[in-house]
Amino acid sequence: MKDLTAEQRILAAAKKVFMEKGLSGARMQDIANEAGINKALVHYYFRCKEKLFEVIFKEAASKLFPRIVAIVNEEIPLFDKIRNFTRQYLEVVIENPYLPMFVLNEMHKQPHAFHAKMFGNNPPDFSKLARQIDEEYQQGIIKAVNPAHLIMNMMSMCVFPFIGKPMIQEVMKIDDLQFRYLMEQRKTEIANFIIDSIKK
């Protein structure tokens, strides 16, 4: 029980340090200091910061990727699907802001392996979403829109602020609390913007 408690403290401390400094800026000593334990113990449980980061990432990703699959496969109107996607994606990423950058890095290093690791045998069926977009166009609900562009718009509008956070904060002169407030607003702002751009 004592060992388990130590491991949990390390993970909690690492999550805080990674959120503040990112993967490149964090040091094992920072994590040890935050957890109030010896650095050797951190190395005992997690050989390096990359290994520790991967454990934290998998925990956060396990909350996000199954939601994406469920939303894409859900039998609901397109506008509701867009609202669900933006709200649930941002709910997870606001609490785990390191997630988008780590996903991008991993995808660039090993795209096929990463895709399999995250989704296994149950990836989101974006072809189903593309068919739904075409059907709602045929029904006169939305304007003609390339499904690939709509999907990319949804994803990029959710992801970019977290990747560009330092630049956004510098340009807008806002602190972390103000940035978080903006991200909370984006749960509905993004969906409204996209829906207004495609509805008839």
Side-chain angles (χ1 to χ4, degrees):
M1 187 66 178
K2 184 179 178 182
D3 289 344
L4 182 63
T5 302
E7 187 173 355
Q8 289 175 332
R9 283 166 61 195
I10 293 167
L11 287 169
K15 184 174 181 180
K16 183 176 180 184
V17 171
F18 286 137
M19 284 178 67
E20 291 174 354
K21 301 187 176 184
L23 176 58
S24 59
R27 298 179 304 125
M28 291 293 260
Q29 187 62 59
D30 297 329
I31 296 166
N33 292 345
E34 182 65 34
I37 61 175
N38 190 287
K39 187 172 76 169
L41 195 58
V42 180
H43 282 285
Y44 172 77
Y45 283 106
F46 305 96
R47 195 167 61 254
C48 60
K49 69 176 181 179
E50 287 76 15
K51 201 76 176 171
L52 183 51
F53 191 87
E54 186 172 346
V55 171
I56 295 171
F57 165 74
K58 283 183 177 178
E59 180 191 346
S62 70
K63 299 172 185 174
L64 176 61
F65 291 106
R67 291 192 193 186
I68 292 175
V69 173
I71 291 166
V72 170
N73 293 336
E74 210 171 1
E75 297 291 342
I76 58 174
L78 179 62
F79 293 168
D80 291 338
K81 193 166 284 190
I82 292 170
R83 290 189 181 97
N84 286 352
F85 177 89
T86 55
R87 186 184 70 254
Q88 294 198 41
Y89 184 96
L90 288 169
E91 278 178 2
V92 173
V93 179
I94 284 170
E95 297 304 325
N96 303 275
Y98 50 81
L99 197 54
M101 186 61 78
F102 189 81
V103 168
L104 284 176
N105 290 338
E106 288 297 300
M107 282 195 301
H108 280 292
K109 285 192 290 185
Q110 42 183 358
H112 298 298
F114 178 78
H115 187 270
K117 183 166 64 174
M118 289 301 98
F119 295 112
N121 295 321
N122 187 34
D125 186 0
F126 283 111
S127 64
K128 180 178 181 179
L129 179 57
R131 288 194 298 273
Q132 181 179 11
I133 291 167
D134 185 58
E135 287 169 6
E136 297 207 12
Y137 164 66
Q138 297 295 337
Q139 294 167 17
I141 299 171
I142 62 173
K143 302 171 188 174
V145 57
N146 184 324
H149 285 300
L150 180 56
I151 292 167
M152 285 190 290
N153 285 344
M154 282 175 22
M155 295 178 69
S156 61
M157 290 178 75
C158 289
V159 170
F160 175 74
F162 296 92
I163 295 172
K165 180 183 175 185
M167 180 186 70
I168 290 170
Q169 287 187 292
E170 179 64 27
V171 170
M172 296 184 177
K173 306 301 180 190
I174 58 175
D175 59 22
D176 286 343
L177 188 61
Q178 291 168 311
F179 179 84
R180 182 182 177 115
Y181 178 70
L182 284 176
M183 296 307 102
E184 292 285 352
Q185 289 181 316
R186 286 181 74 78
K187 289 179 184 178
T188 53
E189 287 288 331
I190 293 172
N192 290 340
F193 182 86
I194 291 174
I195 289 168
D196 286 345
S197 74
I198 63 173
K199 72 179 179 183
K200 279 196 170 179

